[in-house]
């Protein structure tokens, strides 16, 4: 998969992400003294050559500067315009309708309709593939406790894509369509609400939570900084251990990586989709270790509900964390 960004969907700003891009930086800095600030290193790298370039990789990969839109030659992420830390208004509109009203515990069949600004349908040919899929649909309820990651598939009607999920909470849900339009080559998120006849709950789990346990495995998030702050890059690590305390080593490939981290802001608008750094799987038989580094740069203060999605035994597993992001 290619890497992501942190987007604030008020008029969507997402900033961040992950993988191979940072891999080259990580290898380059392996010999640096302990405590090296990767955020500082990236800022310095950005300043070199950025003056002449119009577009750069969001992860500041070396040699990614370009005078036109495109993809990073190292990590494959869509280049962004220099001086634009926030994404522009999305070019695609999303609407979701279900065949029947949402009911807790009942499978909901739904249709995602994507249209361009002129009202014409968005076809699969209008989208680029990112991390093995052209549409990533990131869904959560109002209390930010029931996360779903779906991949709608085309129907016979142009611009309409089918998917299903089973809501576990009452009330409406919100979906963020993670898209990479071929025309702009710039990743964007567009919001669509999924109506329900019931009333949803508010966020109740507000205490910072850096550990979770799922089916006997312990999941833990640690950062290289004591406090996450808006606009300040931080290096994180996801540790997954067995009951004996040893690192779990049987993570299966999931969408071309070994984990997906997705965070939702308490404003119910901002979102971040992150992929870990390091070697990516090259075959379905490859297995990864549960010690995964990632990079995050929050753009909204307050609570962030962060989910780690991995695959074990052919089934997706989700660990849930609660982070607190301070203002600048």
């Amino acid at each position: 998969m290619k890497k992501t960004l942190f987007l604030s969907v008020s008029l969507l700003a997402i900033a961040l992400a992950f993988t191979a891009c940072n891999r080259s930086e990580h290898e380059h800095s392996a010999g640096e003294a302990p405590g090296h600030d990767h955020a500082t290193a990236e800022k310095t790298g950005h300043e070199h050559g950025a003056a002449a370039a119009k577009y750069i990789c969001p992860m500041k990969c070396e040699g990614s500067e370009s005078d036109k839109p495109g993809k990073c030659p190292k990590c494959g992420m869509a280049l962004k315009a220099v001086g634009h830390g926030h994404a522009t208004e999305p070019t695609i509109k999303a609407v979701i309708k279900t065949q029947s009203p949402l009911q807790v515990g009942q499978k909901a069949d739904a249709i995602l309709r994507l249209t361009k600004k002129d009202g014409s349908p968005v076809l699969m040919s209008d989208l680029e593939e990112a991390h093995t899929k052209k549409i990533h649909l990131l869904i959560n309820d109002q209390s930010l406790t029931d996360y779903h990651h779906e991949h709608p598939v085309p129907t016979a009607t142009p611009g309409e894509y089918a998917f299903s999920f089973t809501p576990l909470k009452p009330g409406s849900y919100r979906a963020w369509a993670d898209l990479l339009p071929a025309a702009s080559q710039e990743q964007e998120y567009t919001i669509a609400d999924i109506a329900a006849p019931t009333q949803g709950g508010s966020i109740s789990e507000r205490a910072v939570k850096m550990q979770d346990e799922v089916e006997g495995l312990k999941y833990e998030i640690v950062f290289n900084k004591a406090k996450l702050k808006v606009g300040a890059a931080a290096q994180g690590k996801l540790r997954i251990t067995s009951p004996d305390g040893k690192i779990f080593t049987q993570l299966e490939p999931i969408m071309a990586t070994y984990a997906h981290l997705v965070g939702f802001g308490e404003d119910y608008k901002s979102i971040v989709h992150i992929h870990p750094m390091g070697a990516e799987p090259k075959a379905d038989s490859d297995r990864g270790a549960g010690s995964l580094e990632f990079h995050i740069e929050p753009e909204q203060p307050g609570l962030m509900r962060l989910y780690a999605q991995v695959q074990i035994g052919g089934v997706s597993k989700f660990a849930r964390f609660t982070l607190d992001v301070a203002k600048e």
Side-chain angles (χ1 to χ4, degrees):
M1 258 197 214
K2 311 311 173 198
K3 299 64 207 145
T4 73
L5 304 131
F6 186 18
L7 243 239
S8 190
V9 194
S10 354
L11 279 179
L12 300 147
I14 188 167
L16 244 191
F18 46 83
T19 139
C21 197
N22 280 10
R23 182 162 64 245
S24 62
E25 287 187 353
H26 180 65
E27 292 169 351
H28 176 73
S29 62
E32 295 171 355
H36 174 72
D37 189 339
H38 286 270
T40 301
E42 289 183 350
K43 182 177 181 181
T44 303
H46 181 182
E47 291 169 350
H48 288 300
K54 294 181 180 179
Y55 297 88
I56 60 171
C57 173
M59 299 308 296
K60 286 82 173 179
C61 289
E62 184 179 353
S64 66
E65 299 85 359
S66 176
D67 60 355
K68 58 184 178 180
K71 292 184 178 181
C72 173
K74 290 194 174 182
C75 73
M77 287 207 55
L79 302 179
K80 71 176 182 180
V82 172
H84 290 76
H86 302 279
T88 56
E89 181 181 359
T91 62
I92 295 174
K93 178 182 178 181
V95 174
I96 294 177
K97 293 186 177 181
T98 56
Q99 292 185 6
S100 58
L102 291 185
Q103 296 293 332
V104 174
Q106 294 185 14
K107 179 182 175 182
D109 294 317
I111 295 293
L112 166 69
R113 178 164 179 76
L114 299 176
T115 54
K116 302 175 184 178
K117 287 188 174 181
D118 62 5
S120 60
V122 174
L123 309 178
M124 289 297 269
S125 58
D126 294 318
L127 301 172
E128 295 284 352
E129 184 178 284
H131 291 92
T132 74
K133 303 293 181 181
K134 290 194 172 185
I135 303 175
H136 293 270
L137 203 58
L138 312 173
I139 308 170
N140 214 333
D141 74 301
Q142 297 171 40
S143 67
L144 299 182
T145 55
D146 186 29
Y147 166 56
H148 301 260
H149 186 161
E150 306 296 340
H151 302 109
V153 297
T155 67
T157 303
E160 294 191 355
Y161 303 88
F163 71 97
S164 63
F165 77 107
T166 301
L168 301 180
K169 295 290 182 179
S172 63
Y173 277 63
R174 176 163 287 184
W176 287 258
D178 182 351
L179 309 168
L180 179 58
S184 67
Q185 290 293 306
E186 294 186 15
Q187 183 189 24
E188 62 183 59
Y189 284 66
T190 185
I191 287 178
D193 288 327
I194 308 173
T198 54
Q199 182 68 37
S202 59
I203 298 174
S204 58
E205 299 177 16
R206 303 194 65 87
V208 172
K209 181 184 176 186
M210 306 297 285
Q211 298 181 0
D212 197 10
E213 186 171 320
V214 181
E215 297 180 8
L217 294 180
K218 178 182 176 181
Y219 295 72
E220 181 181 18
I221 294 284
V222 294
F223 292 102
N224 67 338
K225 296 184 178 181
K227 191 75 172 178
L228 292 179
K229 295 183 179 181
V230 170
Q235 193 80 12
K237 178 176 285 189
L238 170 65
R239 286 174 46 85
I240 305 172
T241 53
S242 303
D244 59 6
K246 295 181 179 179
I247 294 292
F248 184 74
T249 60
Q250 295 301 306
L251 295 177
E252 299 168 5
I254 177 169
M255 291 170 278
T257 188
Y258 289 115
H260 288 256
L261 293 101
V262 174
F264 300 86
E266 66 175 315
D267 61 355
Y268 211 37
K269 295 178 181 179
S270 56
I271 190 170
V272 56
H273 188 174
I274 305 168
H275 307 100
M277 299 181 286
E280 295 180 333
K282 300 190 181 301
D284 291 343
S285 58
D286 290 348
R287 295 294 180 265
S291 183
L292 302 168
E293 295 184 348
F294 63 94
H295 183 192
I296 186 170
E297 187 176 343
E299 289 202 351
Q300 291 293 321
L303 178 146
M304 178 191 291
R305 191 84 80 208
L306 183 69
Y307 292 83
Q309 178 183 4
V310 299
Q311 184 161 294
I312 302 171
V315 179
S316 284
K317 312 292 181 181
F318 297 87
R320 186 169 71 225
F321 310 92
T322 303
L323 311 180
D324 179 48
V325 179
K327 293 182 179 179
E328 294 182 68

